Amino acid sequence: MACWGLRETFGSFNNRITRSVHCGNDCTCVIHLDGTIECAGLNDKLSRPPSGRFLQMDVGHDHACAVRGDGSVACWGGNYYGQATPPTR
C-alpha cells in the first residue's frame, strides 16, 4: 500500500501489505494480512480499534464497525446516535 497527503492521516502502515483499506472522515483504517485492524488519522475516536482478527469492516463519518471471524460485530468511535453499538442477535 502506498499513501500520500497529510502524513498524520496515514500513520505507520505506509508501504505495508494490507488486505483492505477503508477511508472515513479524517481517518484511514486497514485490515492487515493477519486480520488485525490499524487506524490512523486526525479522528481520535477511531484511532483505537478493538483487538482481534477481522474479516471485513467499514468506516463511517465518526465510527467504524468490523466483522470478526465468528460473525460477531465490533464497533468503535463516536456513538452519538447509537451507531457504535452493534445490535444483539
Side-chain angles (χ1 to χ4, degrees), residues 2 6 10 13 15-16 21 24-25 27-28 35-37 40 43 47 54 58 63 75 81 87 89:
L6 185 62
F10 302 110
F13 46 79
N15 294 322
R16 290 178 64 186
V21 180
N25 187 46
C27 185
T28 302
T36 59
I37 293 176
N43 188 331
S47 64
F54 295 87
D58 200 4
H63 73 287
C75 298
Y81 304 104
R89 293 184 180 190

Side-chain angles (χ1 to χ4, degrees), residues 9 12 22 33 39 42 55 65-66 75 79-80 83-84 88:
T9 304
S12 62
H22 308 273
L33 290 178
C39 297
L42 302 176
L55 302 174
C65 293
C75 298
N79 197 31
Y80 304 110
Q83 68 270 37
T88 57

Side-chain angles (χ1 to χ4, degrees), residues 1-3 10 13-18 20-21 28-30:
M1 182 172 113
C3 299
F10 302 110
F13 46 79
N14 196 16
N15 294 322
R16 290 178 64 186
I17 297 172
T18 60
S20 59
V21 180
T28 302
C29 296
V30 298

Side-chain angles (χ1 to χ4, degrees), residues 17-77:
I17 297 172
T18 60
R19 185 177 343 151
S20 59
V21 180
H22 308 273
C23 300
N25 187 46
D26 294 329
C27 185
T28 302
C29 296
V30 298
I31 299 179
H32 293 294
L33 290 178
D34 66 359
T36 59
I37 293 176
E38 181 180 1
C39 297
L42 302 176
N43 188 331
D44 290 338
K45 294 176 185 155
L46 292 176
S47 64
R48 294 177 298 278
S51 60
R53 306 280 188 256
F54 295 87
L55 302 174
Q56 59 187 5
M57 70 173 295
D58 200 4
V59 178
H61 176 75
D62 199 30
H63 73 287
C65 293
V67 179
R68 296 181 189 275
D70 66 2
S72 64
V73 175
C75 298
W76 65 101

